[in-house]
Amino acid sequence: MEAIVKTRVKQVLKGDQNAFGEIVEIYKDKVFQLSFRMLGNRHEAEDIAQEAFIRAYVNIQSYNINLKFSTWLYRIATNLCIDRIRKKKPDYYLDAEVAGTEGLTMYSQIPSQTRLPEDDVESLELQDTIQREISKLPEKYRTVIVLKYIDELSLNEISEILDMPLGTVKTRIHRGREALRKQLRHM
């Protein structure tokens, strides 16, 4: 394949434009796939693939015939993709002033990391509700649910603590979760 391509490159260098069309047919899918994987956008990948072939044709005299043509072509496509990705980067900065405001910067638009008091209250209410529903479970399910999800023990640890087979622990956890799910569904 590479020998055929090198023959076509020599023909292009002598002025045969149709020979480059054959090169395009050989590599068009691979260049498109490379571009698509880098950009994640079909239309941009098509544009980049086309641009890569145009650049390769225009600069074919700089191609070193002793090297693989595909490597040279993929480098062109990769560089074009990198350039496109760089151009997409946002051109705003967090310390830039927000238009139409007096002294507000983009930092003021970032949500606070601190939790709101109402979030804490909701969380406590939800925990209380779940705890109440767990306490309504039959003892054999309640025990494994508490050990697994409240105390965060492994299945093997639960098996040892309760002195029961691992399969039984798994079954009780599954059935306990299902029972809890049914109880919480009515809320």
Side-chain angles (χ1 to χ4, degrees), residues 52-116:
F53 284 113
I54 291 170
R55 292 235 179 133
Y57 181 76
V58 169
N59 297 305
I60 196 131
Q61 71 281 355
S62 68
Y63 166 64
N64 182 346
I65 201 80
N66 298 323
L67 302 175
K68 284 183 75 171
F69 182 80
S70 59
T71 304
W72 182 71
L73 180 61
Y74 295 161
R75 182 177 298 131
I76 292 171
T78 301
N79 288 341
L80 287 169
C81 288
I82 290 169
D83 288 345
R84 178 71 57 101
I85 291 167
R86 285 180 180 157
K87 286 180 184 174
K88 281 183 164 182
K89 284 188 178 175
D91 57 351
Y92 55 84
Y93 301 92
L94 291 176
D95 57 352
E97 188 173 320
V98 176
T101 64
E102 289 257 339
L104 283 179
T105 64
M106 293 300 285
Y107 281 114
S108 66
Q109 304 301 309
I110 298 173
S112 171
Q113 294 295 323
T114 58
R115 292 175 48 100
L116 296 173

Coordinates of all heavy atoms in Angstrom, one line a residue, residues 52-116:
A52 N -7.0 18.8 6.0 CA -5.8 18.1 6.1 C -5.3 17.7 4.7 O -4.1 17.8 4.3 CB -6.0 16.8 7.0
F53 N -6.3 17.2 3.8 CA -5.9 16.8 2.5 C -5.5 18.0 1.6 O -4.6 18.0 0.8 CB -7.1 16.1 1.8 CG -7.2 14.7 2.3 CD1 -8.3 14.3 3.0 CD2 -6.2 13.7 2.0 CE1 -8.4 13.0 3.5 CE2 -6.3 12.4 2.5 CZ -7.4 12.0 3.2
I54 N -6.1 19.2 1.9 CA -5.8 20.4 1.1 C -4.3 20.8 1.5 O -3.5 21.1 0.7 CB -6.8 21.5 1.4 CG1 -8.1 21.2 0.8 CG2 -6.2 22.9 0.9 CD1 -9.2 22.1 1.2
R55 N -4.1 20.8 2.8 CA -2.7 21.1 3.3 C -1.7 20.1 2.8 O -0.6 20.5 2.4 CB -2.7 21.2 4.8 CG -3.5 22.3 5.4 CD -2.6 23.2 6.3 NE -3.5 24.3 6.8 CZ -3.5 24.6 8.0 NH1 -2.8 24.0 8.9 NH2 -4.3 25.6 8.4
A56 N -2.0 18.9 2.8 CA -1.1 17.9 2.3 C -0.8 18.1 0.8 O 0.4 18.0 0.4 CB -1.7 16.5 2.5
Y57 N -1.8 18.4 0.0 CA -1.6 18.7 -1.4 C -0.7 19.9 -1.6 O 0.2 19.9 -2.4 CB -3.0 18.8 -2.1 CG -2.8 19.1 -3.6 CD1 -2.5 18.0 -4.4 CD2 -3.0 20.3 -4.1 CE1 -2.4 18.2 -5.8 CE2 -2.9 20.6 -5.5 CZ -2.5 19.5 -6.3 OH -2.4 19.7 -7.7
V58 N -1.1 21.0 -0.9 CA -0.3 22.2 -1.1 C 1.1 22.1 -0.7 O 2.0 22.7 -1.3 CB -1.0 23.4 -0.3 CG1 -0.2 24.6 -0.2 CG2 -2.4 23.7 -0.9
N59 N 1.4 21.3 0.4 CA 2.7 21.2 0.9 C 3.4 19.8 0.6 O 4.3 19.4 1.2 CB 2.7 21.3 2.4 CG 2.2 22.7 2.9 OD1 2.7 23.7 2.4 ND2 1.1 22.7 3.7
I60 N 2.9 19.2 -0.5 CA 3.4 17.9 -0.8 C 4.9 17.9 -1.1 O 5.6 16.9 -0.9 CB 2.6 17.2 -1.9 CG1 2.9 15.7 -2.0 CG2 2.9 17.8 -3.3 CD1 1.7 14.9 -2.0
Q61 N 5.4 19.0 -1.6 CA 6.9 19.1 -1.9 C 7.7 19.0 -0.6 O 8.9 18.6 -0.7 CB 7.2 20.3 -2.7 CG 7.1 21.6 -1.9 CD 5.7 22.1 -1.7 OE1 4.7 21.6 -2.3 NE2 5.5 23.2 -1.0
S62 N 7.1 19.3 0.6 CA 7.9 19.2 1.8 C 7.9 17.7 2.4 O 8.5 17.5 3.4 CB 7.3 20.2 2.9 OG 6.0 19.8 3.3
Y63 N 7.1 16.8 1.8 CA 7.0 15.5 2.3 C 8.3 14.7 1.9 O 8.8 14.8 0.8 CB 5.8 14.8 1.6 CG 5.8 13.3 1.8 CD1 5.8 12.7 3.0 CD2 6.0 12.4 0.7 CE1 5.8 11.3 3.2 CE2 6.0 11.1 0.8 CZ 5.9 10.5 2.1 OH 6.0 9.1 2.2
N64 N 8.9 14.1 2.9 CA 10.1 13.3 2.8 C 9.7 11.9 2.3 O 9.1 11.1 3.0 CB 10.8 13.2 4.1 CG 12.1 12.4 4.0 OD1 12.4 11.7 3.0 ND2 13.0 12.5 5.0
I65 N 10.0 11.6 1.0 CA 9.6 10.4 0.4 C 10.1 9.1 1.1 O 9.6 8.0 0.9 CB 10.0 10.4 -1.1 CG1 9.2 9.4 -2.0 CG2 11.5 10.1 -1.3 CD1 7.8 9.9 -2.3
N66 N 11.1 9.2 1.9 CA 11.7 8.1 2.6 C 10.9 7.7 3.9 O 11.1 6.7 4.5 CB 13.2 8.4 3.1 CG 14.0 8.6 1.9 OD1 13.9 8.0 0.8 ND2 14.9 9.6 2.0
L67 N 10.0 8.6 4.3 CA 9.1 8.3 5.4 C 7.7 7.8 5.0 O 7.3 8.0 3.8 CB 9.0 9.5 6.3 CG 10.3 10.1 6.8 CD1 10.1 11.4 7.6 CD2 11.0 9.1 7.7
K68 N 7.0 7.3 5.9 CA 5.6 6.8 5.6 C 4.7 8.1 5.3 O 4.7 9.0 6.1 CB 5.0 6.0 6.7 CG 5.5 4.6 6.8 CD 4.9 3.8 7.9 CE 3.5 3.4 7.5 NZ 2.8 2.5 8.4
F69 N 4.0 8.0 4.3 CA 3.1 9.1 3.9 C 1.9 9.2 5.0 O 1.6 10.3 5.3 CB 2.5 8.9 2.5 CG 1.6 10.0 2.1 CD1 2.1 11.2 1.6 CD2 0.2 9.9 2.2 CE1 1.3 12.2 1.2 CE2 -0.7 11.0 1.9 CZ -0.1 12.1 1.3
S70 N 1.4 8.1 5.4 CA 0.3 8.1 6.4 C 0.7 8.9 7.7 O -0.1 9.6 8.2 CB -0.2 6.7 6.7 OG 0.9 5.9 7.3
T71 N 1.9 8.6 8.1 CA 2.4 9.3 9.3 C 2.4 10.8 9.1 O 1.9 11.6 10.0 CB 3.8 8.8 9.7 OG1 3.8 7.4 9.9 CG2 4.3 9.5 11.0
W72 N 2.9 11.3 8.0 CA 2.9 12.7 7.6 C 1.5 13.3 7.6 O 1.2 14.3 8.1 CB 3.7 12.8 6.3 CG 3.9 14.3 5.9 CD1 4.7 15.2 6.4 CD2 3.2 14.9 4.7 NE1 4.6 16.4 5.7 CE2 3.7 16.2 4.7 CE3 2.3 14.4 3.8 CZ2 3.3 17.1 3.7 CZ3 1.9 15.3 2.8 CH2 2.4 16.7 2.8
L73 N 0.6 12.6 6.9 CA -0.8 13.0 6.7 C -1.5 13.1 8.1 O -2.2 14.0 8.4 CB -1.5 12.1 5.8 CG -3.0 12.4 5.5 CD1 -3.1 13.8 4.9 CD2 -3.6 11.4 4.6
Y74 N -1.3 12.0 8.9 CA -1.9 12.0 10.2 C -1.4 13.1 11.1 O -2.2 13.7 11.9 CB -1.7 10.7 10.9 CG -2.4 9.5 10.2 CD1 -2.0 8.2 10.5 CD2 -3.4 9.7 9.3 CE1 -2.6 7.1 9.9 CE2 -4.0 8.6 8.7 CZ -3.6 7.3 8.9 OH -4.2 6.3 8.3
R75 N -0.1 13.5 11.0 CA 0.4 14.6 11.8 C -0.3 15.9 11.4 O -0.6 16.7 12.2 CB 1.9 14.7 11.6 CG 2.5 15.8 12.4 CD 4.0 15.9 12.4 NE 4.6 14.7 12.8 CZ 5.6 14.1 12.2 NH1 6.0 14.5 11.0 NH2 6.1 13.0 12.7
I76 N -0.5 16.1 10.1 CA -1.2 17.3 9.6 C -2.6 17.3 10.2 O -3.0 18.3 10.8 CB -1.3 17.3 8.1 CG1 0.1 17.5 7.5 CG2 -2.2 18.4 7.6 CD1 0.2 17.3 6.0
A77 N -3.3 16.2 10.2 CA -4.7 16.2 10.7 C -4.7 16.4 12.2 O -5.5 17.1 12.7 CB -5.3 14.8 10.3
T78 N -3.8 15.8 12.9 CA -3.7 15.9 14.4 C -3.4 17.4 14.7 O -4.1 17.9 15.6 CB -2.6 15.0 14.9 OG1 -2.9 13.6 14.6 CG2 -2.5 15.1 16.4
N79 N -2.5 18.0 14.1 CA -2.2 19.4 14.4 C -3.4 20.3 14.1 O -3.7 21.2 14.9 CB -1.0 19.9 13.6 CG 0.3 19.3 14.1 OD1 0.4 18.8 15.2 ND2 1.3 19.3 13.3
L80 N -4.1 20.0 13.0 CA -5.3 20.8 12.7 C -6.4 20.6 13.8 O -7.0 21.6 14.2 CB -5.9 20.4 11.4 CG -5.1 20.9 10.2 CD1 -5.6 20.2 8.9 CD2 -5.2 22.4 10.0
C81 N -6.5 19.4 14.3 CA -7.5 19.1 15.4 C -7.1 19.8 16.7 O -7.9 20.4 17.3 CB -7.6 17.6 15.7 SG -8.4 16.7 14.4
I82 N -5.8 19.8 17.0 CA -5.3 20.5 18.2 C -5.6 22.0 18.1 O -6.0 22.6 19.0 CB -3.8 20.2 18.4 CG1 -3.6 18.7 18.8 CG2 -3.2 21.1 19.5 CD1 -2.2 18.2 18.8
D83 N -5.3 22.6 16.9 CA -5.6 24.0 16.7 C -7.1 24.3 16.9 O -7.4 25.3 17.5 CB -5.2 24.4 15.3 CG -3.6 24.5 15.1 OD1 -2.9 24.4 16.1 OD2 -3.2 24.5 14.0
R84 N -7.9 23.4 16.4 CA -9.4 23.6 16.5 C -9.8 23.6 18.0 O -10.6 24.4 18.4 CB -10.1 22.6 15.7 CG -11.6 22.6 15.7 CD -12.3 23.8 15.0 NE -11.9 23.9 13.6 CZ -12.7 23.5 12.6 NH1 -13.9 23.0 12.8 NH2 -12.2 23.7 11.4
I85 N -9.2 22.6 18.7 CA -9.6 22.5 20.1 C -9.1 23.7 20.9 O -9.8 24.2 21.7 CB -8.9 21.2 20.7 CG1 -9.6 20.0 20.1 CG2 -9.0 21.2 22.2 CD1 -8.8 18.7 20.4
R86 N -7.9 24.2 20.6 CA -7.4 25.4 21.2 C -8.3 26.6 21.0 O -8.5 27.5 21.8 CB -6.0 25.7 20.8 CG -5.0 24.8 21.4 CD -3.6 25.1 21.0 NE -2.7 24.2 21.6 CZ -1.5 23.9 21.1 NH1 -1.1 24.4 20.0 NH2 -0.7 23.0 21.7
K87 N -8.8 26.7 19.7 CA -9.6 27.9 19.4 C -11.0 27.8 20.1 O -11.6 28.9 20.3 CB -9.9 27.9 17.9 CG -8.7 28.4 17.1 CD -9.0 28.4 15.6 CE -7.7 28.7 14.8 NZ -8.0 28.6 13.4
K88 N -11.4 26.7 20.5 CA -12.7 26.5 21.2 C -12.6 26.9 22.7 O -13.6 27.1 23.3 CB -13.1 25.0 21.2 CG -13.7 24.6 19.9 CD -14.2 23.2 20.1 CE -15.1 22.7 19.1 NZ -15.6 21.4 19.3
K89 N -11.4 27.0 23.2 CA -11.3 27.4 24.6 C -11.9 28.7 24.9 O -11.8 29.6 24.1 CB -9.8 27.4 25.0 CG -9.2 26.1 25.2 CD -7.8 26.2 25.8 CE -7.2 24.8 26.0 NZ -5.9 24.8 26.4
P90 N -12.6 28.8 26.0 CA -13.3 30.1 26.3 C -12.3 31.2 26.5 O -11.2 31.0 27.0 CB -14.0 29.8 27.6 CG -13.3 28.6 28.2 CD -12.7 27.8 27.1
D91 N -12.7 32.4 26.1 CA -11.8 33.5 26.2 C -12.2 34.5 27.3 O -12.2 35.7 27.1 CB -11.8 34.2 24.8 CG -13.2 34.7 24.4 OD1 -14.2 34.3 25.0 OD2 -13.2 35.4 23.4
Y92 N -12.7 33.9 28.4 CA -13.0 34.7 29.5 C -12.2 34.3 30.7 O -11.7 33.2 30.8 CB -14.5 34.7 29.9 CG -15.1 33.3 30.1 CD1 -14.9 32.6 31.3 CD2 -15.6 32.5 29.1 CE1 -15.4 31.4 31.6 CE2 -16.1 31.3 29.3 CZ -16.0 30.7 30.5 OH -16.4 29.4 30.7
Y93 N -12.1 35.2 31.7 CA -11.3 34.9 32.9 C -12.1 35.2 34.1 O -13.0 36.1 34.1 CB -10.0 35.7 32.9 CG -9.2 35.5 31.6 CD1 -9.3 36.2 30.5 CD2 -8.3 34.4 31.6 CE1 -8.6 36.0 29.3 CE2 -7.6 34.1 30.5 CZ -7.7 34.9 29.3 OH -7.0 34.6 28.2
L94 N -11.9 34.4 35.2 CA -12.7 34.6 36.4 C -12.5 36.0 37.0 O -13.4 36.4 37.7 CB -12.3 33.5 37.4 CG -12.7 32.1 37.0 CD1 -12.2 31.1 38.0 CD2 -14.3 32.0 36.9
D95 N -11.4 36.6 36.8 CA -11.2 37.9 37.5 C -11.7 39.1 36.6 O -11.6 40.2 36.9 CB -9.8 38.1 37.9 CG -8.8 38.0 36.8 OD1 -9.1 37.6 35.7 OD2 -7.6 38.3 37.1
A96 N -12.2 38.7 35.4 CA -12.7 39.8 34.5 C -14.1 40.3 35.0 O -14.9 39.5 35.6 CB -12.9 39.2 33.1
E97 N -14.3 41.6 34.8 CA -15.5 42.2 35.3 C -16.7 41.7 34.4 O -16.6 41.7 33.2 CB -15.4 43.7 35.3 CG -16.6 44.4 36.0 CD -16.4 45.9 36.1 OE1 -15.2 46.3 36.5 OE2 -17.3 46.6 35.9
V98 N -17.8 41.5 35.0 CA -19.0 41.1 34.3 C -19.6 42.3 33.7 O -19.8 43.4 34.4 CB -20.1 40.4 35.3 CG1 -21.3 40.1 34.5 CG2 -19.5 39.1 35.9
A99 N -19.9 42.3 32.4 CA -20.5 43.5 31.7 C -21.8 43.9 32.4 O -22.6 43.1 32.7 CB -20.7 43.1 30.2
G100 N -21.9 45.2 32.5 CA -23.1 45.8 33.0 C -23.2 45.8 34.6 O -24.3 46.0 35.1
T101 N -22.1 45.5 35.2 CA -22.1 45.4 36.7 C -21.0 46.3 37.2 O -20.1 46.6 36.5 CB -21.9 44.0 37.3 OG1 -20.6 43.6 36.9 CG2 -23.0 43.1 36.8
E102 N -21.2 46.7 38.4 CA -20.1 47.6 39.1 C -19.2 46.7 39.9 O -19.6 46.4 41.0 CB -20.8 48.7 39.9 CG -21.5 49.7 39.2 CD -20.7 51.0 39.1 OE1 -19.8 51.2 39.9 OE2 -20.9 51.8 38.2
G103 N -18.1 46.3 39.4 CA -17.1 45.6 40.2 C -17.3 44.1 40.4 O -16.5 43.5 41.0
L104 N -18.4 43.6 39.8 CA -18.6 42.1 40.0 C -17.7 41.4 39.0 O -17.7 41.7 37.8 CB -20.1 41.7 39.7 CG -21.1 42.0 40.8 CD1 -22.5 41.6 40.4 CD2 -20.7 41.3 42.1
T105 N -17.1 40.3 39.5 CA -16.3 39.5 38.6 C -16.9 38.2 38.4 O -18.0 37.9 39.0 CB -14.9 39.3 39.2 OG1 -15.1 38.5 40.4 CG2 -14.2 40.6 39.5
M106 N -16.4 37.4 37.5 CA -16.9 36.0 37.2 C -16.9 35.1 38.5 O -17.6 34.2 38.6 CB -16.1 35.3 36.1 CG -16.3 36.0 34.7 SD -18.0 36.1 34.2 CE -18.3 34.4 33.7
Y107 N -15.9 35.5 39.4 CA -15.9 34.7 40.7 C -17.2 34.8 41.4 O -17.6 33.8 42.0 CB -14.8 35.3 41.6 CG -13.4 34.8 41.3 CD1 -12.5 35.8 40.8 CD2 -13.0 33.5 41.4 CE1 -11.2 35.4 40.5 CE2 -11.7 33.1 41.1 CZ -10.8 34.1 40.6 OH -9.5 33.7 40.3
S108 N -17.9 35.9 41.3 CA -19.2 36.0 42.0 C -20.3 35.1 41.4 O -21.3 34.9 42.0 CB -19.7 37.5 41.9 OG -20.0 37.9 40.6
Q109 N -20.0 34.6 40.2 CA -21.0 33.7 39.5 C -20.8 32.2 39.9 O -21.7 31.4 39.6 CB -20.9 33.9 38.0 CG -21.1 35.3 37.5 CD -22.4 35.9 37.9 OE1 -23.5 35.3 37.7 NE2 -22.4 37.0 38.6
I110 N -19.8 31.9 40.6 CA -19.5 30.6 41.0 C -20.3 30.3 42.3 O -20.2 31.0 43.2 CB -18.0 30.3 41.3 CG1 -17.2 30.6 40.0 CG2 -17.7 28.9 41.8 CD1 -15.7 30.6 40.2
P111 N -21.1 29.2 42.3 CA -21.8 28.8 43.5 C -20.9 28.5 44.7 O -19.9 28.0 44.5 CB -22.7 27.6 43.1 CG -22.0 27.1 41.8 CD -21.2 28.2 41.2
S112 N -21.4 28.9 45.8 CA -20.7 28.7 47.1 C -20.6 27.2 47.4 O -21.5 26.4 47.1 CB -21.4 29.4 48.2 OG -20.9 29.0 49.4
Q113 N -19.5 26.8 48.0 CA -19.4 25.4 48.4 C -20.1 25.0 49.7 O -20.3 23.9 50.0 CB -17.9 25.1 48.5 CG -17.1 25.1 47.2 CD -17.5 24.1 46.2 OE1 -17.8 23.0 46.6 NE2 -17.6 24.5 45.0
T114 N -20.5 26.1 50.4 CA -21.1 25.8 51.7 C -22.6 25.4 51.4 O -23.2 25.9 50.5 CB -21.1 27.1 52.6 OG1 -21.7 28.2 51.9 CG2 -19.7 27.4 53.0
R115 N -23.1 24.5 52.2 CA -24.4 24.0 52.1 C -25.4 25.1 52.7 O -25.1 25.7 53.7 CB -24.6 22.7 52.8 CG -23.8 21.6 52.2 CD -23.9 20.3 53.0 NE -25.3 19.9 53.4 CZ -26.1 19.1 52.8 NH1 -25.6 18.4 51.7 NH2 -27.3 18.8 53.3
L116 N -26.6 25.1 52.1 CA -27.6 26.0 52.6 C -28.3 25.3 53.8 O -28.4 24.1 53.9 CB -28.7 26.3 51.5 CG -28.1 27.0 50.3 CD1 -29.2 27.1 49.3 CD2 -27.7 28.4 50.7

